[in-house]
Amino acid sequence: MTGRAAVLGHPIGHSKSPALHRAAYAALGVDIGYEAIDVTVDALPGFLSTVHAEDSWRGLSVTMPLKAAMAAAVDEVRGVGEALGVVNTVTFEPGHAGPRLVGYNTDVAGIVNALRYAGAPDAPSAAVLGGGGTAAAAVAALRDLGTASATVFVRDAVRAAEVRAAAAGVGIDLQFRPLTAAALELPGYDVVVSTLPPRAADGTGADLAAAGAATPGILLDAAYDPWPSRIAAAWTVGGGSVVPGLEMLLYQAIEQVRLFAAVDGPMPAEVIDVMCDAVGAPRRVF
């Protein structure tokens, strides 16, 4: 029987996850189909009730705006996802009353590996744009890189509950600054992670371009469509290194494939190559 997997979110039509996962399963010779399904927060409980009624599901990838809601809906959260209260990955395990849903967060590994591949230093000075679920993963990733404190730029610090909870869970100190101040301050950081939705950082990008400041650090922009984003273009002009969100997506997807397809040990290099090819990313050089 063909296994099922999917990426859930709203909106979801732009997602490149199907291309990544389908390429990986074909290369592994694993019979798992993968699709994109539009699911809102309100519709999530009903969707999960249908999932519980089927035994073909192998995994779910979870994107905005469902990451916190999914953490509350699964039967168990493991790993760093438990500390964050945010999951982007769900696996299925046998249970007495049907499958047990187990949540993980592979966004953290995705960010860490993308930044390391780009040459991020140990314990970088760091800033994050945004305060939601992906920002929560970003502060956990920065802690893994050795950063003890980070600055978070948000429109409204009162609404940054997810990133505050994540910081408390992983033991990193946060300072909050208004998003309007970001363009003047970001050039001073070794690493900047923008977790804002597509086009939401355009104003900061325009301000950076207008300031004409040097940007010697690394920018990871989680938004990968359209690309290059305005902030990524301005960062490049300033002389800095830019890591597209596609890199983060690739590395977190590698971890999801490992879980969904029950891959033991390191992911074969040839599988990573076809995943890169599927989304037009450069092949890895290790």
Side-chain angles (χ1 to χ4, degrees):
M1 178 177 63
T2 300
R4 294 187 68 186
V7 57
L8 313 180
H10 177 76
I12 201 62
H14 67 286
S15 177
K16 295 185 183 295
S17 291
L20 284 166
H21 281 258
R22 290 169 185 167
Y25 301 135
L28 289 167
V30 176
D31 191 11
I32 298 178
Y34 190 99
E35 59 189 312
I37 303 176
D38 196 296
V39 179
T40 64
V41 172
D42 289 343
L44 183 61
F47 176 81
L48 291 180
S49 69
T50 66
V51 166
H52 272 289
E54 301 180 21
D55 60 5
S56 59
W57 284 98
R58 299 293 177 266
L60 298 171
S61 308
V62 184
T63 189
M64 294 188 294
L66 302 176
K67 294 180 180 182
M70 186 64 85
V74 296
D75 298 302
E76 180 185 356
V77 180
R78 294 178 186 162
V80 70
E82 184 177 10
L84 300 183
V86 177
V87 304
N88 75 316
T89 304
V90 178
T91 63
F92 296 79
E93 295 183 358
H96 294 299
R100 295 185 71 254
L101 276 61
V102 180
Y104 299 86
N105 192 304
T106 68
D107 279 338
V108 176
I111 295 169
V112 168
N113 289 328
L115 289 173
R116 281 180 173 156
Y117 189 72
D122 292 334
S125 61
V128 177
L129 302 183
T134 305
V139 300
L142 292 169
R143 190 70 188 91
D144 281 356
L145 290 170
T147 299
S149 64
T151 303
V152 179
F153 293 86
V154 289
R155 290 189 177 88
D156 183 359
V158 174
R159 300 176 63 184
E162 290 177 57
V163 75
R164 289 182 189 274
V170 301
I172 185 171
D173 294 327
L174 298 183
Q175 295 81 45
F176 287 88
R177 298 283 291 141
L179 189 60
T180 52
L184 291 177
E185 300 180 23
L186 292 181
Y189 292 93
D190 296 327
V191 168
V192 175
V193 182
S194 175
T195 68
L196 297 173
R199 302 192 182 280
D202 282 1
T204 301
D207 291 343
L208 273 172
T215 52
I218 297 171
L219 168 70
L220 189 161
D221 186 358
Y224 56 83
D225 184 21
W227 190 261
S229 63
R230 196 163 186 180
I231 189 172
W235 200 267
T236 300
V237 170
S241 300
V242 172
V243 182
L246 199 57
E247 292 283 308
M248 170 187 166
L249 184 71
L250 169 68
Y251 283 114
Q252 65 83 28
I254 290 170
E255 298 306 312
Q256 289 181 339
V257 169
R258 190 192 312 277
L259 290 167
F260 298 172
V263 176
D264 292 327
M267 187 67 69
E270 58 270 24
V271 176
I272 298 175
D273 283 344
V274 299
M275 293 175 75
C276 290
D277 294 346
V279 294
R283 289 189 169 191
R284 308 296 90 177
V285 178
F286 296 105

